[in-house]
């Protein structure tokens, strides 16, 4: 560990940086640091006042706060003095071991609380660490039975990963394995292919299928699922919509749903919860692999279900809606031939602010065509998973789509992510998932 000469934080940070620090946002940008010469040349852990930060030397986001700032770091001499700052950059140092030891109790409690928040106690999957939202910036850890998938997105997480993984493994052995009742050891799968890494000066490493990436059966929200941890979308499954799958099923039952469309269905997250022996449905996805996974998950959960009333369409959702709209117009379809329940759960259309206008146009087109297709009295479930599109912008898009479709829309419910993906109020960038339940007249 290195200690720097005592400095006033206002000398280390300029006015903007100090404003961000006391404002509670977990990021400090390079432009907010007036003395970058005092920082190390490689990734490190920096202590400023009562805060600890992970330091990324090449990123414009230089410092990311780690751990709740009210933690007691009394083991570091002088650490509670608000005018001191320290850093260490040796991944094997004794001080770093003490840092992880102090951090362990917080991370353990984080896992215990998320287990308690699960809707289904028999679930054996969840998101444990959600980057800044769980005070571990640059790291996402999802658990699928005894497999832990880690998205390693930033330079300091990558730099300290080996020692950090040892701490995380000890917690999983102590808390998670007894919960899921297994004697199998923890298997780690590490993802290093997120575009954020390039901004950190890190290379992108594509996943290579090995014997580790085997199909795993998980229990999730009352159903069984075959997933491939570490492969496909995100870490292997969209765990953030789990609670919404159950809510949407409740709404379908309330209106006596007879015919649903699950578009962008992926592996059937929403659609499987909509299945009944009599209910017709169409699963739509551009990936044949996703549709085959959906069929497999249906067989796994409903082995005696007759599927002659279900269709699986390999199609771009825009093209699917165009084709259905043209068919309805050409045949003057009556209401019984139209769906009374549509789910729109597209991928992120805007990953940065410059993409927002085009993304909203695409979302409007999708919602417009869905509104034209659905029968009166039905429900449209429409989603966005882009942090760049706020609730007001999404609401304006819905209003415009409803106007152009000549449909009267009511907002029945607005939903966010499941509790294991809960965002922090001080980190608006972590608030990304919106699910709107709309009644259609």
């Amino acid at each position: 560990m290195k200690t720097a000469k005592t400095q006033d934080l206002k000398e280390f940070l300029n006015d903007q940086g100090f404003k961000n620090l006391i404002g509670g946002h977990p990021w400090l940008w390079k432009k907010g640091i007036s003395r970058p010469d005092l920082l190390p040349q490689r990734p490190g852990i920096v202590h400023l006042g009562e805060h600890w930060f992970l330091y990324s030397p090449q990123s414009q986001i230089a410092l990311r706060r780690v751990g709740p700032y009210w933690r007691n770091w009394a083991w570091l001499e002088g650490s509670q003095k608000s005018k001191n700052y320290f850093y260490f950059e040796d991944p094997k140092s004794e001080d770093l071991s003490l840092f992880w030891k102090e951090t362990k109790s917080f991370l353990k409690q984080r896992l215990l609380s998320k287990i308690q928040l699960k809707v289904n106690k028999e679930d054996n999957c969840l998101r444990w660490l959600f980057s800044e939202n769980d005070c571990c910036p640059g790291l996402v850890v999802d658990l699928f039975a005894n497999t832990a998938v880690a998205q390693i997105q930033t330079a300091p997480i990558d730099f300290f990963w080996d020692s950090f993984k040892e701490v995380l493994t000890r917690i999983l052995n102590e808390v998670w394995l007894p919960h899921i009742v297994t004697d199998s050891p923890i298997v780690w799968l590490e993802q290093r292919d997120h575009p954020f890494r390039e901004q950190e000066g890190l290379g992108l490493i594509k996943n290579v299928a090995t014997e580790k990436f085997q199909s795993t059966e998980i229990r999730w929200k009352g159903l069984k699922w075959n997933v491939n941890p570490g492969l496909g979308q995100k870490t292997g499954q969209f765990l953030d919509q789990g609670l919404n799958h159950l809510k949407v099923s409740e709404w379908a039952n309330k209106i006596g749903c007879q015919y649903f469309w699950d578009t962008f269905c992926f592996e059937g997250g929403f659609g499987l919860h909509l299945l009944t022996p009599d209910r017709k449905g169409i699963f739509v996805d551009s990936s044949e692999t996703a549709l085959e996974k959906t069929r497999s998950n249906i067989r796994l959960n409903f082995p005696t279900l007759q599927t002659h009333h279900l269709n699986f369409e390999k199609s771009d959702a825009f093209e699917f809606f165009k084709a259905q709209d043209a068919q309805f117009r050409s045949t003057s379809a009556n209401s019984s031939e139209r769906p009374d329940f549509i789910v729109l759960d597209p991928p992120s259309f805007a990953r940065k602010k410059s993409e927002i206008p085009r993304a909203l146009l695409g979302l409007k087109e999708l919602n417009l065509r869905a509104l034209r297709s659905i029968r009166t009295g039905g429900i449209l479930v429409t989603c966005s998973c882009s942090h760049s599109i706020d609730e007001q912008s999404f609401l304006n898009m819905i209003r415009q789509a409803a106007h152009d479709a000549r449909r009267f829309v009511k907002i029945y419910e607005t939903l966010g992510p499941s509790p294991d993906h809960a965002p922090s109020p001080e980190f608006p960038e972590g608030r990304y998932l919106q699910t709107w339940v709309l009644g259609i007249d």
Side-chain angles (χ1 to χ4, degrees), residues 141-242:
V141 177
D142 285 346
L143 305 176
F144 301 95
N146 69 307
T147 301
V149 183
Q151 288 184 338
I152 301 169
Q153 301 173 356
T154 60
I157 292 293
D158 197 85
F159 187 70
F160 293 115
W161 176 243
D162 287 343
S163 58
F164 197 11
K165 184 168 69 171
E166 290 179 10
V167 175
L168 300 180
T169 302
R170 289 199 295 270
I171 297 172
L172 293 174
N173 289 337
E174 186 178 342
V175 176
W176 180 246
L177 293 184
H179 168 72
I180 63 174
V181 191
T182 181
D183 295 326
S184 300
I186 290 294
V187 176
W188 281 96
L189 300 178
E190 298 163 11
Q191 293 183 325
R192 290 180 169 88
D193 59 351
H194 198 289
F196 286 164
R197 288 174 59 88
E198 294 182 311
Q199 301 172 26
E200 299 278 315
L202 300 172
L204 301 184
I205 303 175
K206 295 296 182 182
N207 291 329
V208 178
T210 69
E211 65 277 4
K212 288 186 176 181
F213 294 92
Q214 297 297 316
S215 179
T216 300
E217 184 178 306
I218 60 171
R219 302 184 303 275
W220 182 42
K221 301 298 178 278
L223 296 175
K224 295 178 287 186
W225 305 80
N226 278 319
V227 300
N228 291 90
L231 290 182
Q233 302 289 336
K234 292 196 174 179
T235 59
Q237 184 59 278
F238 291 98
L239 298 176
D240 50 1
Q241 288 275 31

Side-chain angles (χ1 to χ4, degrees), residues 118-125 179-180 218-223:
K118 289 201 292 46
V119 175
N120 298 90
K121 300 302 181 185
E122 66 274 15
D123 284 2
N124 64 353
C125 61
H179 168 72
I180 63 174
I218 60 171
R219 302 184 303 275
W220 182 42
K221 301 298 178 278
L223 296 175

Side-chain angles (χ1 to χ4, degrees), residues 250-304:
E250 292 175 6
W251 279 107
N253 293 335
K254 283 180 182 179
I255 67 166
C257 170
Q258 298 176 355
Y259 180 25
F260 69 86
W261 291 352
D262 182 7
T263 64
F264 304 96
C265 70
F266 188 48
E267 296 176 1
F270 279 106
L272 259 69
H273 288 277
L274 297 174
L275 291 179
T276 68
D278 314 330
R279 194 175 283 168
K280 296 192 302 179
I282 300 180
F283 293 86
V284 182
D285 202 280
S286 60
S287 166
E288 182 60 42
T289 300
L291 291 173
E292 183 51 44
K293 264 299 189 63
T294 300
R295 296 186 188 97
S296 173
N297 286 325
I298 291 174
R299 291 192 296 268
L300 181 64
N301 288 279
F302 310 102
T304 62

Side-chain angles (χ1 to χ4, degrees), residues 99-158:
F99 179 85
W100 294 139
K101 181 179 179 180
E102 290 292 315
T103 304
K104 180 183 174 182
S105 61
F106 169 72
L107 297 177
K108 177 181 176 180
Q109 185 56 45
R110 210 64 159 185
L111 180 55
L112 285 168
S113 65
K114 290 197 174 187
I115 290 173
Q116 294 167 357
L117 284 171
K118 289 201 292 46
V119 175
N120 298 90
K121 300 302 181 185
E122 66 274 15
D123 284 2
N124 64 353
C125 61
L126 54 72
R127 171 156 291 183
W128 175 18
L129 299 176
F130 187 20
S131 198
E132 280 83 353
N133 297 287
D134 283 317
C135 302
C136 290
L139 177 65
V140 172
V141 177
D142 285 346
L143 305 176
F144 301 95
N146 69 307
T147 301
V149 183
Q151 288 184 338
I152 301 169
Q153 301 173 356
T154 60
I157 292 293
D158 197 85

